[in-house]
Amino acid sequence: MPNAGGSLPANLEDVDWAYVAGFIDADGSVGIERRKRASGEVGYSVKLYITNADRSTMDWLVSNLEGSVYLTNRHSPKHHQTMWRWVVRGKKAGPLLRELLPYLRLKKKRAELALRFVETITNGGRLDPESKRLREYLANQLTRMNFRGRPR
């Protein structure tokens, strides 16, 4: 199996993993984002994030699980609440998703698909056609699951 990510950045207790899983189920997303490379080829990356107005929660996530925090609504009207987004991308999401899986309810299937994707990540090697097809399939499945609005 290809290298699917490193070790976890913190020794959290079960209650902490359940806490994070609750945020992901309520205010988060598990997905695969597509990016067109300069070569014209499409690249994929797992993206795990939580959006919330409480900056201290976002800072706790960074301190305990790494990742980055971004201001998400800097162009919103002044009367809108400030919102923050904690994000982990790529193979770093793998160990986190594995730990969160038993605690997730709403986003469990999405996390399972994202973990299947993380297992295809190599350290710079070229992907075989079968792995490329699997990545495209997993990306499409997660896009459908994360789509808002009328079902497709």
Side-chain angles (χ1 to χ4, degrees), residues 82-147:
T82 300
M83 298 299 287
W84 302 95
R85 180 168 290 164
W86 168 76
V87 181
V88 175
R89 286 185 171 88
K91 66 182 177 180
K92 288 182 178 182
L96 298 177
L97 289 168
R98 271 190 281 287
E99 288 294 325
L100 290 165
L101 203 57
Y103 306 101
L104 291 168
R105 304 263 171 102
L106 183 63
K107 310 269 171 70
K108 186 173 191 130
K109 179 67 175 168
R110 295 170 193 173
E112 290 169 346
L113 292 172
L115 277 169
R116 282 186 61 198
F117 182 91
V118 169
E119 290 170 359
T120 71
I121 296 174
T122 62
N123 287 327
R126 303 250 354 135
L127 287 175
D128 59 87
E130 185 179 330
S131 293
K132 286 182 181 182
R133 282 191 297 278
L134 176 60
R135 283 182 170 200
E136 179 68 26
Y137 169 78
L138 294 170
N140 287 336
Q141 290 295 102
L142 277 166
T143 297
R144 280 189 202 99
M145 294 174 93
N146 288 329
F147 182 73

Side-chain angles (χ1 to χ4, degrees), residues 29-45:
S29 180
V30 179
I32 298 173
E33 56 186 2
R34 291 176 173 90
R35 292 190 201 139
K36 198 164 195 172
R37 296 185 177 141
S39 65
E41 204 173 12
V42 176
Y44 299 94
S45 181

Side-chain angles (χ1 to χ4, degrees), residues 64-81:
N64 288 282
L65 302 175
E66 297 183 0
S68 303
V69 174
Y70 304 96
L71 180 64
T72 65
N73 62 341
R74 75 186 90 176
H75 302 297
S76 296
K78 297 232 184 273
H79 66 276
H80 285 193
Q81 188 172 16

Side-chain angles (χ1 to χ4, degrees), residues 10-29:
N11 271 335
L12 297 182
E13 296 182 21
D14 289 347
V15 69
D16 296 315
W17 290 111
Y19 176 72
V20 175
F23 268 107
I24 291 170
D25 274 342
D27 297 329
S29 180

